[in-house]
Amino acid sequence: MSVILRPVPVALIGLGGVGRAILTQLLSPPLSSRFQLILIANSRLSLSLPLPASPITPNNYLPILEAHGTQLDIPSVISVLSTHPDAPGILIDATGSDVVPALYSQILSMGVHLVTPNKKGFSGSLELYSRIQSASFPHGNALVYGESTVGAGLPILSTLKDLIATGDEVEKIEGVFSGTLSYIFNEFSKVGGGDVKFSEVVKIAKDKGYTEPDPRDDLSGTDVARKLTILSRLIPSSAPLPEGYASVPTQSLVPDVLADASSKEDYLSRLEEGDAYFSNLREEAAKEGKVVRYVGVIDLKAGKVEAKLERYPHDHAFATALQGSDNIISFHTKRYSPRPLIIQGAGAGADVTAMGCTSDLVKIHERIARRI
Amino acid sequence: MSVILRPVPVALIGLGGVGRAILTQLLSPPLSSRFQLILIANSRLSLSLPLPASPITPNNYLPILEAHGTQLDIPSVISVLSTHPDAPGILIDATGSDVVPALYSQILSMGVHLVTPNKKGFSGSLELYSRIQSASFPHGNALVYGESTVGAGLPILSTLKDLIATGDEVEKIEGVFSGTLSYIFNEFSKVGGGDVKFSEVVKIAKDKGYTEPDPRDDLSGTDVARKLTILSRLIPSSAPLPEGYASVPTQSLVPDVLADASSKEDYLSRLEEGDAYFSNLREEAAKEGKVVRYVGVIDLKAGKVEAKLERYPHDHAFATALQGSDNIISFHTKRYSPRPLIIQGAGAGADVTAMGCTSDLVKIHERIARRI
């Protein structure tokens, strides 16, 4: 017996690496039967679907968008989603901008559901975050999901929500939240020792495409602080963080001596000036039988949220278990004590980040889809 | 602004360790506002709620049930859930019996949702499993969730469902699925070596309450085979397992020499007869720089589902990361490759198993709750 559920209309804004991977997943089974893609857009142009002629594919969308797209107008995209015959639809904000997040509460108020890998709406000011919460279910009708804002496709937010919704008490969340900084420190500070220079590892990470175009965006720790803000706001007893990530004490790895670098090129060419600082850190840790990792910590007992360098003994999971650009997040709770609940795996990359978004789409589909 | 959603009626059958922990969680915030407990029952007696006088608590329910309970009649429990003014309600089957699972398809057909930690309905014959699937959403209206059947409160089933629903391809699932066998082998076969006898570790595990009353129920591997069956059936391309767990090749750890033990007392008293066998296994592994673990493997490429003893090198997560009675499950997929997605933590215990059930309740609540 086969049962057909009404496909939910979806619009996708943002066609960078993650947006393209979302597009690919949406156009493939099993998602293609659950969702009807009615619009795609990059930062300039939008294209209404389905096309009159042949269907759109991950390979042909770009020239068609360039040739037939019309100027992107976000209010009209929202209007299309809220007035569609199968409304309400879902907007996927796969942009990295803060323009769309500023509109989230308005979008939700029109009954349009939201899925996004964009951290800006949830990790900025408490005022913006509260407006989004007030406009979404259960206060309003529309749902908002952002699983991939932390740990990409790893079930981090859903697990934290489950712990809290079932009455567990979070005591501490500690983890390596940045794929870039995971890679850099897994290579730089190993259990077996090592003498590679910090600047060399950063350059290799950049060449492999693991860093943002300007590596300072990763090394500043801001991305980790944003993720900590998103997690922290799900915990009722946690600090309010009125300015979001800017309220999180965050250790920058851009050495003081390079703080005045005029450009990323200048920064990269002068990166060696910081090598002595990091080599010294590694040696100090090694003397204690430890490695160095860049971690985020939410300590409910101490009332602290911090992004910082920390030392871990050689038999600690953060020292032994990590490879490549893996994330690892440990939840210490009243129930998961003394040993934490741990989730580990690739925390960055277009496919797994897209999966975080498409799994959110499935959860919305489960909550709203009706039979034909 | 506070929004009140209509509480969903719930009946709880089974008041052993897990059932009592579910009761405690259901009666406490934040769950007490989402659900209305309308009936509790053990294997003999049921009690309709709310009581005319004082409310029920985790401390007072037992004497009240004994004094005022009426004989348990499952059809009438289902009838109460399907005809309640806020119907449909949710039945929690916290029994370990196979009587209730035989009724699942009938329960679901009446529109009553189901949550259970009981593996029997999902890991037995394919015929029973198919009947349950056919009676539940999307074929019928009622939902069935069993997160805690594998890994207790760890998000194992939900993660596998997300991977599959978003179009990932599972290549291999490998893990330590039994809290009891995790404890026994973590103690018996350590990276640093050891000379403790297998029989001693089993007796300690039994004294600590980590094993079933008859340890042969754990050492037979059947519990692991049931969990593998439940996972395997979620993967579209996996083997059909017509007889469920009985179709899974399963290595029993009850040594041949003890296969004729007449009782658990006889078995425990003669357990030392198997020590040489296990010590030999440990020595063979140690020569290869490995430890011994009892694992479950679903290998899609090889088309195999197996529960067995396996050897892992000293730097493998199954050798280094496990402590106590932790479960660890690794998902090797097309997207999570070459490094798997790993979930680790307590995989047994009343509180975390109850949490697997109550998180399922929350998911059903999210899908069906309406505003007052």
Side-chain angles (χ1 to χ4, degrees):
Chain A
M1 181 169 66
S2 172
V3 175
I4 298 176
L5 298 174
R6 198 186 294 261
V8 172
V10 170
L12 169 62
I13 303 182
L15 291 166
V18 173
R20 287 195 300 270
I22 293 172
L23 181 69
T24 302
Q25 291 180 24
L26 269 175
L27 295 175
S28 307
L31 294 171
S32 54
S33 61
R34 290 189 176 215
F35 301 99
Q36 182 192 358
L37 192 60
I38 62 168
L39 184 143
I40 59 171
N42 62 18
S43 58
R44 297 172 292 110
L45 297 170
S46 75
L47 180 71
S48 289
L49 302 171
L51 299 176
S54 58
I56 202 166
T57 72
N59 295 324
N60 74 8
Y61 77 92
L62 194 53
I64 298 176
L65 178 65
E66 292 289 347
H68 301 285
T70 54
Q71 197 184 340
L72 172 63
D73 175 56
I74 292 175
S76 74
V77 174
I78 304 166
S79 172
V80 165
L81 284 166
S82 68
T83 59
H84 189 277
D86 290 320
I90 307 172
L91 178 70
I92 308 172
D93 170 22
T95 73
S97 84
D98 43 21
V99 175
V100 192
L103 300 172
Y104 283 177
S105 63
Q106 183 188 331
I107 293 166
L108 293 161
S109 300
M110 293 180 71
V112 173
H113 308 292
L114 253 171
V115 166
T116 185
N118 186 340
K119 291 182 273 287
K120 302 271 171 73
F122 312 125
S123 62
S125 75
L126 184 59
E127 188 271 333
L128 173 61
Y129 183 73
S130 300
R131 269 198 288 129
I132 295 167
Q133 294 308 109
S134 300
S136 58
F137 187 86
H139 306 289
N141 285 318
L143 304 164
V144 54
Y145 280 88
E147 182 65 66
S148 61
T149 57
V150 181
L154 300 175
I156 305 299
L157 295 192
S158 56
T159 298
L160 178 57
K161 286 177 186 173
D162 280 351
L163 291 166
I164 291 164
T166 61
D168 201 356
E169 288 168 32
V170 178
E171 293 167 357
K172 188 167 79 167
I173 300 174
E174 185 173 21
V176 173
F177 289 95
S178 158
T180 311
L181 295 176
S182 180
Y183 175 83
I184 289 174
F185 284 95
N186 296 343
E187 294 296 315
F188 178 70
S189 181
K190 292 174 183 278
V191 169
D195 56 6
V196 64
K197 286 179 183 167
F198 188 77
S199 59
E200 283 174 22
V201 177
V202 173
K203 283 172 188 167
I204 293 169
K206 179 168 170 22
D207 290 345
K208 287 194 172 190
Y210 286 177
T211 71
E212 296 292 323
D214 186 339
R216 288 178 293 186
D217 291 343
D218 298 299
L219 293 170
S220 68
T222 301
D223 178 66
V224 176
R226 284 193 182 275
K227 290 167 178 169
L228 292 173
T229 302
I230 292 168
L231 289 171
S232 179
R233 285 176 169 168
L234 294 174
I235 306 171
S237 61
S238 67
L241 304 176
E243 298 306 320
Y245 75 95
S247 297
V248 175
T250 303
Q251 182 173 357
S252 173
L253 301 185
V254 181
D256 289 345
V257 290
L258 298 186
D260 63 341
S262 58
S263 67
K264 66 180 176 185
E265 288 75 18
D266 182 30
Y267 167 72
L268 279 169
S269 70
R270 289 175 54 198
L271 197 54
E272 291 174 19
E273 295 175 32
D275 278 344
Y277 170 77
F278 288 104
S279 293
N280 188 46
L281 279 183
R282 177 171 61 189
E283 277 169 38
E284 291 291 323
K287 279 181 200 164
E288 300 173 7
K290 293 178 177 173
V291 297
V292 180
R293 295 289 180 266
Y294 194 91
V295 295
V297 180
I298 300 174
D299 186 332
L300 280 301
K301 284 184 178 170
K304 281 187 182 173
V305 182
E306 286 179 290
K308 60 183 178 180
L309 285 171
E310 191 61 87
R311 299 171 187 187
Y312 292 92
H314 286 171
D315 61 351
H316 192 282
F318 294 4
T320 61
L322 286 174
Q323 285 183 36
S325 59
D326 277 2
N327 283 190
I328 186 166
I329 287 98
S330 58
F331 298 91
H332 300 259
T333 74
K334 194 174 173 191
R335 288 185 203 136
Y336 287 96
S337 177
R339 294 182 311 285
L341 189 170
I342 296 175
I343 297 173
Q344 180 185 344
D351 280 352
V352 293
T353 305
M355 180 208 149
C357 296
T358 54
S359 70
D360 283 346
L361 289 177
V362 169
K363 289 180 180 71
I364 294 180
H365 184 269
E366 286 177 345
R367 289 174 71 165
I368 69 170
R370 293 154 294 162
R371 289 190 174 78
I372 283 179
Chain B
M1 181 170 64
S2 172
V3 174
I4 298 176
L5 298 174
R6 197 186 296 261
V8 172
V10 170
L12 169 63
I13 303 181
L15 291 165
V18 172
R20 288 195 299 272
I22 294 172
L23 181 68
T24 302
Q25 291 180 25
L26 269 175
L27 295 175
S28 308
L31 293 171
S32 53
S33 60
R34 290 189 176 214
F35 302 98
Q36 182 192 359
L37 192 60
I38 62 168
L39 184 144
I40 59 171
N42 61 19
S43 58
R44 297 172 293 110
L45 298 169
S46 75
L47 180 70
S48 289
L49 303 171
L51 300 176
S54 57
I56 201 168
T57 73
N59 295 323
N60 74 6
Y61 78 93
L62 194 53
I64 298 175
L65 178 65
E66 291 288 346
H68 302 284
T70 56
Q71 197 184 339
L72 172 62
D73 175 57
I74 292 174
S76 73
V77 174
I78 303 166
S79 172
V80 166
L81 285 166
S82 66
T83 59
H84 189 279
D86 289 322
I90 307 171
L91 178 70
I92 307 173
D93 170 21
T95 73
S97 83
D98 43 21
V99 175
V100 191
L103 300 171
Y104 283 178
S105 63
Q106 184 187 332
I107 294 166
L108 293 163
S109 300
M110 292 181 71
V112 173
H113 307 292
L114 253 171
V115 166
T116 185
N118 186 340
K119 291 182 273 288
K120 302 270 171 73
F122 313 125
S123 62
S125 75
L126 184 59
E127 188 272 332
L128 174 60
Y129 183 74
S130 299
R131 269 199 288 129
I132 295 167
Q133 294 308 110
S134 299
S136 58
F137 188 86
H139 306 288
N141 285 319
L143 303 165
V144 54
Y145 280 88
E147 182 66 65
S148 62
T149 58
V150 180
L154 300 176
I156 305 299
L157 295 192
S158 56
T159 297
L160 179 57
K161 286 177 185 172
D162 280 351
L163 290 166
I164 291 164
T166 60
D168 201 356
E169 288 167 31
V170 177
E171 293 167 356
K172 190 166 78 165
I173 300 175
E174 185 173 22
V176 174
F177 288 97
S178 158
T180 311
L181 294 176
S182 180
Y183 175 83
I184 289 173
F185 283 95
N186 295 343
E187 294 296 315
F188 178 70
S189 182
K190 291 174 184 276
V191 169
D195 55 6
V196 64
K197 287 179 183 165
F198 188 77
S199 60
E200 284 174 20
V201 176
V202 173
K203 283 172 186 165
I204 293 169
K206 179 168 169 28
D207 290 345
K208 288 194 170 187
Y210 286 177
T211 71
E212 296 293 321
D214 186 340
R216 287 178 294 185
D217 292 343
D218 298 300
L219 294 170
S220 68
T222 301
D223 177 66
V224 176
R226 284 192 182 275
K227 289 168 179 169
L228 292 174
T229 303
I230 292 168
L231 290 171
S232 179
R233 284 177 170 167
L234 294 174
I235 306 171
S237 60
S238 68
L241 304 175
E243 298 306 320
Y245 76 93
S247 297
V248 176
T250 302
Q251 182 173 358
S252 173
L253 301 185
V254 181
D256 289 345
V257 290
L258 297 185
D260 65 339
S262 58
S263 67
K264 66 180 177 186
E265 289 75 19
D266 183 30
Y267 167 72
L268 280 168
S269 71
R270 290 175 54 199
L271 197 54
E272 292 175 17
E273 295 176 30
D275 278 344
Y277 170 77
F278 288 105
S279 292
N280 189 45
L281 278 183
R282 177 171 58 188
E283 278 169 37
E284 291 292 322
K287 280 181 198 162
E288 301 172 7
K290 293 178 177 174
V291 298
V292 179
R293 294 289 180 267
Y294 194 91
V295 294
V297 181
I298 300 173
D299 187 331
L300 280 300
K301 284 184 178 170
K304 281 187 181 172
V305 182
E306 285 179 292
K308 60 182 178 181
L309 285 171
E310 191 62 85
R311 300 170 186 187
Y312 293 91
H314 286 173
D315 61 352
H316 192 280
F318 293 5
T320 60
L322 286 174
Q323 284 183 35
S325 59
D326 278 1
N327 283 189
I328 186 166
I329 287 97
S330 57
F331 299 91
H332 300 259
T333 73
K334 195 174 171 190
R335 288 184 202 136
Y336 287 97
S337 177
R339 294 183 310 285
L341 189 170
I342 296 175
I343 297 173
Q344 181 185 344
D351 281 352
V352 293
T353 306
M355 179 209 150
C357 297
T358 54
S359 69
D360 283 346
L361 289 177
V362 170
K363 289 180 181 70
I364 295 180
H365 184 269
E366 287 178 344
R367 288 175 70 166
I368 69 170
R370 292 155 293 162
R371 291 190 172 77
I372 285 179

